[in-house]
Amino acid sequence: MEVPNYCSLQRERGIINLNKNVIQRFIAVTLMASLIVPVSSFANVIDATAAGVTPSTVIQSSNVVGNQQNEGQEDTIPVFKDASVHDPSVIKVDDTYYVFGSHLAAAKTKDLMQWDLVAAGANVNNPLFENVVEELKETFAWAQSDTLWAADVIQLSDGRFYMYYNACKGDSPRSALGVAVADNVEGPYEDLGILLKSGMWGQPSEDGTIYDAREHPNVVDPDVFYDKDGKLWMMYGSYSGGIFILEMDSATGKPLPDQGYGKKLIGGNHSRIEGAYVLYSPETDYYYMYLSFGGLDATGGYNIRVARSENPDGPYYDAEGNEMINVKADPSLPIFDDRSIEPFGVKLMGSFLFEREIGDPGTGIGTGYVSPGHNSAYYDPETGKQFLIFHTRFPQRGEAHEIRVHQMFMNSEGWPVVAPYRYTGETLGKVYREDVVGDYKLVNHAKDISAAIKTSQFIRLNKNSTISGDVSGTWKRTAHNKAELTVDGVLYDGVFIREWDPASASYVMTFTALSKQGVAIWGSRMADKSDEEIVADVQNDLNLGDTSGVTNNLPLPAEGTRQTAIVWSSSNADIVSESGVVNRPEPGTGNATVTLTAAITKGDASATKTFTVVVKEQTIDGVVAHYAFENNLTDSLGNLGAGTVTGDRIDKTGGAITYASGVHGDAAAFDGASGIRLPNGLISSNTYSVSLWLNPDQLTEFTTTFFGARDTNNWVSLLPKGHGWVNNDTMVWSGTAWYDAGTGMKIKAGEWSHLAFTVNNGSIAVYVNGAQKFSRTGFPNVFTTTDGVFSLGVNWWDTPYKGLMDELRIYETALTAEEIAKLATKTP
């Protein structure tokens, strides 16, 4: 059962160095543990990495047309410098934008594209305070925490900068919210004291009644703002009793007296609503309350929504006229029931992917976000531009997160629509009809709260104003750049805008629009190409990977870009079928060679491409490799190549492996600064077993013994000493979905122990000395390719293994408990 965490699943703990455990996990599903999220920082990189290009290789598209909106912009390639600040709250000082967020992190930029980290970490070295640990000791003590959550900074009429800080216990809404002041936005700040507290179970709360987390707020996530008449307000709250607002004293920066917790605006009964931020629009004369619904981690379905009001303190309504004060979880349903709240609010953005299909430019999976949220917003009075500033995670990158900035525009109904791509200086301008006609990738963000990533569909905006492809409808351009699209009977209202597409590394026409039901759609135009050119692109891009030693079914794609059809034929369907099902030859009969042919068609254009596939014969007893370490690193079965010695990381050289007496003959001796790289592709399915003997000299947290990875975000690791979330017990750990398979026990240093684990299509079992210590389903399918990376004693991040290792066996089957028990005997 998922457990309540009243501080946004404990936010993220801000591990700045991506090379430290590519995110030491921490998505909790236990009672006292919730979520610890990592951060990453990537400097001076083109935002085309998903396309596999670098600044020196990005070129302008020859298909750039209609450069009416961004004159001069398309002569340059945008360069970004990224930083990680969770829950970024923006303030502009002179010509510089600052964001402040959780864990006392801050960053700054002059152009909203290149960010420099100013501070990070609630520790004595953080420059925002002389000594935050001492300065805010009362806050830390009350919240029973050692870190701070989402901060907000505002400059008040006295010219000084006021930081509204907050801390939360994490497994309950026991929180404190206070304010500190500085003469300079970068500090140092001096504490003015705690303003509000929550989580005082069974005791009178700030409004004099006994604290009830279903009705009273969790005092975190402040947003302090001036209304159009110069009044100062503070909106705050997260989960628990909902979002509240207080009127503030602009002279002191503190709440006016006798308000208690203030006025409730939305939420209650532990509904997952948080991160409220208010922005007034002089264009529409509305106050817009931005919110994040769902859970912030990569599987939490975090998404950005908005409601609006004529007054800063409400009432707020969504596009369908629903009053937000009525939006809360059903108390009769399990805690954190998202179904109660997901129909409400205007959903601006959720997890999405402009998917790169076979034949599209670039490499990788495409461009998209996972769980974008906890935003702030900014209106530039000089240009009239509005910006959405938020943090987001990314597809296939786990819990790593970065700041993103997207421009916003008001549609004809007075609702903000968000540009599909990050800001590069683009400006709305006149759009000509011929600029709009063409093929597009369409993302429909829908209205749900879900971990599912909304992948793009193919559509075409035709010259006759119809829409065809995966959806049908009509479109029109009005008032220079306004967009009206009817998609499957639903009208969407928004704008056309040219933006930088990192996948194609070019400027393209895009659209962003909202329905009256509060659903956002985005479109990104593709380059004009003939059917012959599209077929050639698919032919060139189609790839089955390494087919020189196939042991598992082959994924044979049936479609390429723009609905291009791919039909397969096989020279020996008994070995490899036309749908990719592989039947391996019997042991002793030898490998089989099969030719697969792909017929590629679109319209009247066609082409073929052939692949030679070598299907390996079945192994005896399912064993793929056996490394006995008899004074060498060879596979005793002769199936695979020998291991090679590494340094203290999987990708380094210079180490040394020696040999000592083992369980059976010799054993490999690891010195704590070396490892062994095993052949790539050792495992390439979701059914396998790993068995080995260990005699560690020392036990260090996170140290791996057997390690396998598809990439740095998808891996499996066998740890003699696990992390703190499993009480440092011996475990199998996966970074794909942060899966913990703890054994409930610890092997000992200086003694031989037999460890083994089996995976059978998502069911994992872990054994210690022949006894099963863990068994559960839901284990991620990590090895979906034939070129995975494997090692012993080292990975990319952690302290290398020190001690002995013997009798490593890899199987392509899930062994039975009886077979594991036999391997665990010291008798050969």
Side-chain angles (χ1 to χ4, degrees), residues 290-537:
Y290 295 89
L291 301 157
S292 293
F293 280 34
L296 66 86
D297 60 291
T299 59
Y302 221 35
N303 62 94
I304 299 173
R305 304 198 180 206
V306 69
R308 72 185 183 189
S309 174
E310 295 177 349
N311 305 296
D313 59 343
Y316 283 85
Y317 298 89
D318 66 13
E320 295 182 286
N322 297 303
E323 188 173 354
M324 305 308 283
I325 189 62
N326 299 318
V327 179
K328 62 186 67 177
D330 185 339
S332 68
L333 296 177
I335 197 168
F336 295 168
D337 172 55
D338 288 336
R339 303 294 81 79
S340 299
I341 62 174
E342 71 178 8
F344 305 104
V346 172
K347 183 179 175 184
L348 298 177
M349 180 195 306
S351 299
F352 76 95
L353 177 66
F354 281 119
E355 187 173 16
R356 196 196 77 84
E357 297 186 280
I358 299 168
D360 284 335
T363 60
I365 63 172
T367 301
Y369 298 155
V370 170
S371 290
H374 204 123
N375 69 281
S376 56
Y378 184 79
Y379 173 80
D380 186 338
E382 294 182 4
T383 64
K385 290 185 177 182
Q386 295 185 79
F387 301 102
L388 191 74
I389 301 103
F390 56 97
H391 73 253
T392 185
R393 289 154 176 79
F394 304 90
Q396 297 187 358
R397 279 178 54 184
E399 298 299 329
H401 60 80
E402 295 168 359
I403 305 163
R404 285 294 182 269
V405 179
H406 286 226
Q407 194 174 175
M408 293 191 293
F409 318 94
M410 288 297 173
N411 72 4
S412 62
E413 298 292 327
W415 288 101
V417 292
V418 180
Y421 293 116
R422 66 191 302 187
Y423 179 67
T424 61
E426 68 271 6
T427 300
L428 276 177
K430 188 172 183 179
V431 172
Y432 292 98
R433 184 178 178 82
E434 57 267 27
D435 300 340
V436 175
V437 173
D439 295 342
Y440 285 77
K441 292 181 184 291
L442 170 73
V443 167
N444 187 324
H445 287 276
K447 200 69 176 287
D448 58 332
I449 300 172
S450 170
I453 297 174
K454 304 297 188 295
T455 55
S456 55
Q457 300 172 285
F458 170 74
I459 65 169
R460 179 169 180 81
L461 302 191
N462 299 303
K463 291 182 179 179
N464 64 357
S465 297
T466 62
I467 301 175
S468 57
D470 289 331
V471 302
S472 61
T474 60
W475 70 274
K476 64 180 178 179
R477 174 195 59 85
T478 63
H480 294 311
N481 50 43
K482 298 297 184 183
E484 289 185 15
L485 303 99
T486 300
V487 177
D488 291 341
V490 178
L491 177 65
Y492 295 85
D493 176 23
V495 300
F496 291 106
I497 176 78
R498 292 187 65 81
E499 290 197 283
W500 172 261
D501 168 21
S504 64
S506 65
Y507 290 93
V508 302
M509 182 60 66
T510 71
F511 62 78
T512 172
L514 277 174
S515 71
K516 292 182 182 296
Q517 294 74 38
V519 174
I521 60 171
W522 291 349
S524 177
R525 191 182 168 192
M526 307 165 75
D528 290 334
K529 292 196 174 185
S530 67
D531 287 351
E532 287 76 13
E533 290 173 317
I534 294 169
V535 166
D537 287 342

Side-chain angles (χ1 to χ4, degrees), residues 625 627 629 633 640-653 657 668 670 673-683 688-694 702-712 714-720 733 757 782-783 787-801 805-806 808-810:
Y627 292 89
F629 305 119
L633 300 179
L640 299 177
T644 57
V645 178
T646 74
D648 62 356
R649 297 292 185 265
I650 196 172
D651 52 357
K652 290 186 178 181
T653 59
I657 295 293
F670 295 74
S674 307
I676 297 172
R677 181 75 176 264
L678 298 173
N680 288 357
L682 189 59
I683 301 171
Y688 53 93
S689 301
V690 177
S691 165
L692 76 169
W693 285 89
L694 296 175
F702 306 118
T703 291
T704 190
T705 53
F706 174 84
F707 181 81
R710 182 169 81 236
D711 52 47
T712 55
N714 299 270
W715 45 263
V716 174
S717 187
L718 177 60
L719 281 65
W733 191 24
F757 66 96
V782 173
F783 304 113
D787 58 355
V789 175
F790 297 86
S791 61
L792 300 176
V794 291
N795 55 28
W796 285 291
W797 318 286
D798 298 301
T799 303
Y801 175 72
M805 191 179 302
D806 202 3
L808 170 68
R809 288 180 169 88
I810 310 296

Side-chain angles (χ1 to χ4, degrees), residues 39-328:
V39 296
S40 60
S41 182
F42 301 89
N44 293 317
V45 294
I46 286 283
D47 190 25
T49 52
V53 296
T54 64
S56 62
T57 61
V58 177
I59 59 174
Q60 286 298 123
S61 168
S62 61
N63 189 53
V64 172
V65 294
N67 186 22
Q68 298 297 317
Q69 293 179 316
N70 308 319
E71 292 184 9
Q73 175 191 353
E74 297 189 5
D75 295 331
T76 62
I77 297 173
V79 178
F80 301 91
K81 182 179 180 182
D82 293 322
S84 296
V85 175
H86 213 260
D87 315 318
S89 181
V90 66
I91 177 174
K92 189 177 183 183
V93 182
D94 297 326
D95 64 347
T96 302
Y97 299 88
Y98 289 85
V99 292
F100 293 83
S102 288
H103 313 299
L104 207 56
K108 62 183 178 181
T109 178
K110 291 184 182 296
D111 59 6
L112 297 174
M113 295 166 58
Q114 300 193 45
W115 292 90
D116 291 308
L117 201 65
V118 173
N123 55 58
V124 296
N125 298 315
N126 192 300
L128 295 177
F129 284 82
E130 293 287 354
N131 182 341
V132 71
V133 175
E134 182 64 26
E135 190 92 7
L136 302 186
K137 63 181 179 181
E138 182 183 357
T139 296
F140 292 126
W142 172 264
Q144 300 174 27
S145 171
D146 61 359
T147 192
L148 298 171
W149 302 138
D152 183 57
V153 174
I154 185 172
Q155 188 174 20
L156 297 186
S157 56
D158 62 2
R160 297 193 297 171
F161 297 90
Y162 289 73
M163 176 188 288
Y164 292 83
Y165 61 81
N166 54 106
C168 177
K169 186 178 181 216
D171 62 350
S172 80
R174 186 175 178 87
S175 303
L177 188 158
V179 63
V181 67
D183 293 326
N184 186 291
V185 67
E186 295 189 27
Y189 286 83
E190 295 182 8
D191 187 32
L192 297 180
I194 294 173
L195 304 180
L196 295 170
K197 293 180 179 179
S198 61
M200 55 285 286
W201 303 110
Q203 300 175 28
S205 65
E206 300 285 0
D207 65 6
T209 63
I210 299 301
Y211 185 81
D212 183 346
R214 297 167 299 178
E215 296 293 334
H216 289 123
N218 181 18
V219 295
V220 295
D221 296 358
D223 168 39
V224 180
F225 65 97
Y226 283 104
D227 68 18
K228 65 179 181 179
D229 297 320
K231 279 188 177 181
L232 189 67
W233 302 85
M234 181 174 73
M235 194 174 287
Y236 70 98
S238 171
Y239 291 26
S240 300
I243 306 299
F244 287 67
I245 190 167
L246 285 164
E247 189 172 349
M248 307 290 281
D249 184 338
S250 60
T252 66
K254 297 182 178 182
L256 292 176
D258 303 321
Q259 296 183 85
Y261 283 121
K263 180 181 179 181
K264 181 184 289 192
L265 299 176
I266 184 176
N269 297 324
H270 306 298
S271 52
R272 299 204 296 179
I273 302 172
E274 64 177 14
Y277 193 92
V278 178
L279 183 66
Y280 172 74
S281 170
E283 180 181 345
T284 65
D285 199 28
Y286 279 111
Y287 295 89
Y288 293 86
M289 175 174 62
Y290 295 89
L291 301 157
S292 293
F293 280 34
L296 66 86
D297 60 291
T299 59
Y302 221 35
N303 62 94
I304 299 173
R305 304 198 180 206
V306 69
R308 72 185 183 189
S309 174
E310 295 177 349
N311 305 296
D313 59 343
Y316 283 85
Y317 298 89
D318 66 13
E320 295 182 286
N322 297 303
E323 188 173 354
M324 305 308 283
I325 189 62
N326 299 318
V327 179
K328 62 186 67 177

Side-chain angles (χ1 to χ4, degrees), residues 528-596:
D528 290 334
K529 292 196 174 185
S530 67
D531 287 351
E532 287 76 13
E533 290 173 317
I534 294 169
V535 166
D537 287 342
V538 173
Q539 181 187 41
N540 291 333
D541 196 31
L542 185 60
N543 190 345
L544 297 182
D546 183 3
T547 58
S548 63
V550 172
T551 59
N552 300 284
N553 293 342
L554 288 171
L556 302 181
E559 188 173 292
T561 184
R562 312 191 204 209
Q563 298 180 322
T564 303
I566 305 174
V567 178
W568 294 88
S569 60
S570 171
S571 66
N572 188 343
D574 291 335
I575 298 296
V576 183
S577 76
E578 293 173 351
S579 61
V581 175
V582 172
N583 294 298
R584 295 168 62 186
E586 295 292 327
T589 61
N591 299 337
T593 301
V594 178
T595 299
L596 291 178

